[in-house]
């Protein structure tokens, strides 16, 4: 009887020891998603709640391909985002990203997967900036599109320029990709005008929002 009790105690102690060394199951990252502005494609996520000191591992793949690939510079990181622009640069392709978390006190989490991402359809196109030079009866409009967009789609861009007078009447002008300047002549002397601009990508049927109004008074 004594031997049986001793054996039970030993087994119980071993079981408790094993249980004490079983690592806690780590929840995966949450809300994994691409956020893309002007073809700068960044994967974002939120951390799981059961560990305060986490490291993340990011992979990507093309839709339809079987192999997942590590993202250079995003292995064992502590920030909650990873720039995948370099590996998701073809606007015609569709991509996935996924993230796994690891904590010193637990095992590595399962992978958390993003929704399918298409740069052409999902990126947000920023409006251009405007710089105005004013004379007595003219306004020279200089258009500056976002630099990443210029690098990606320079020869496919058009600009719509909107001239709004003090009564609210609006007139639209179109500017080709190969020019960044538009001269608006024969305006009313001492008149006050506001201008806005918008980027158009005709081949993709995409456009930006309008820029904020920039207003001037003629000399």
């Amino acid at each position: 009887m004594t031997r049986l009790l001793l054996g039970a105690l030993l087994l119980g102690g071993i079981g408790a020891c094993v249980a004490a060394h079983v690592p806690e199951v780590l929840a995966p990252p949450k809300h994994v998603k691409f956020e893309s502005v002007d073809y700068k494609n960044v994967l974002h996520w939120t951390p799981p709640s059961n560990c305060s000191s986490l490291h993340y591992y990011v992979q990507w793949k093309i839709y339809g391909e079987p192999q997942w690939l590590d993202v250079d510079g995003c292995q064992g990181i502590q920030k909650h985002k990873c720039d995948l622009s370099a590996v998701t640069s073809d606007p015609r392709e569709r991509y996935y990203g996924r993230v796994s978390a690891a904590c010193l006190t637990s095992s590595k989490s399962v992978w958390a997967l993003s929704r399918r991402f298409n740069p052409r359809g999902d990126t947000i196109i920023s409006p251009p900036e405007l710089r105005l030079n004013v004379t007595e009866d003219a306004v020279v409009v200089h258009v500056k599109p976002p630099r990443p967009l210029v690098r990606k789609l320079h020869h496919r861009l058009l600009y719509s320029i909107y001239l709004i007078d003090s009564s609210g009447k609006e007139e639209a002008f179109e500017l080709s990709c190969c020019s960044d300047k538009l001269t608006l002549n024969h305006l009313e002397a001492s008149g006050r005008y506001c201008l806005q601009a918008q980027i158009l990508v005709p081949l993709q049927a995409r456009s930006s929002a309008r820029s904020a109004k920039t207003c001037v008074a003629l000399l």
Side-chain angles (χ1 to χ4, degrees):
M1 185 67 177
T2 303
R3 289 182 178 180
L4 289 174
L5 288 172
L6 182 59
L9 288 171
L10 287 171
L11 287 173
I14 292 171
C17 183
V18 171
H21 286 83
V22 172
E24 180 186 358
V25 176
L26 179 63
K30 303 174 184 177
H31 311 302
V32 180
K33 62 179 180 178
F34 278 93
E35 294 183 3
S36 177
V37 178
D38 300 326
Y39 291 96
K40 184 177 177 65
N41 309 325
V42 180
L43 192 69
H44 292 258
W45 59 89
T46 55
S49 58
N50 55 344
C51 182
S52 59
S53 178
L54 291 170
H55 292 80
Y56 299 98
Y57 299 83
V58 183
Q59 293 185 331
W60 71 282
K61 76 167 187 170
I62 296 174
Y63 170 66
E65 295 291 332
Q67 185 177 7
W68 287 93
L69 302 171
D70 290 343
V71 180
D72 291 341
C74 290
Q75 304 302 307
I77 61 174
Q78 291 187 290
K79 57 187 178 181
H80 302 150
K81 63 182 180 180
C82 172
D83 189 345
L84 274 71
S85 302
V87 295
T88 57
S89 60
D90 188 340
R92 300 165 298 179
E93 288 287 2
R94 289 166 171 78
Y95 301 94
Y96 286 106
R98 68 179 186 178
V99 187
S100 177
C103 183
L104 294 177
T105 60
S106 67
S107 60
K108 197 173 181 180
S109 78
V110 298
W111 292 98
L113 185 67
S114 73
R115 296 180 62 181
R116 192 186 308 170
F117 168 69
N118 171 235
R120 175 180 290 176
D122 295 335
T123 199
I124 296 171
I125 298 174
S126 300
E129 296 179 8
L130 290 181
R131 182 169 57 86
L132 308 179
N133 292 334
V134 181
T135 65
E136 288 185 3
D137 64 347
V139 176
V140 180
V141 183
H142 299 268
V143 182
K144 182 181 179 182
R147 184 170 294 177
L149 198 63
V150 172
R151 287 198 298 263
K152 194 77 178 177
L153 297 170
H154 174 63
H155 295 293
R156 305 176 197 172
L157 300 181
L158 295 176
Y159 310 110
S160 288
I161 310 297
Y162 301 94
L163 177 70
I164 307 160
D165 66 18
S166 56
S167 70
K169 181 182 177 182
E170 181 177 283
E171 190 173 359
F173 302 85
E174 192 169 277
L175 190 62
S176 73
C177 67
C178 301
S179 175
D180 63 353
K181 183 174 73 172
L182 175 68
T183 301
L184 302 174
N185 292 305
H186 309 299
L187 301 178
E188 182 181 343
S190 302
R192 186 176 185 276
Y193 296 89
C194 293
L195 291 105
Q196 292 178 292
Q198 182 181 33
I199 293 176
L200 308 175
V201 190
L203 292 179
Q204 298 182 9
R206 300 289 310 281
S207 63
S208 72
R210 290 192 187 189
S211 63
K213 287 182 179 179
T214 302
C215 299
V216 294
L218 298 190
L219 303 176

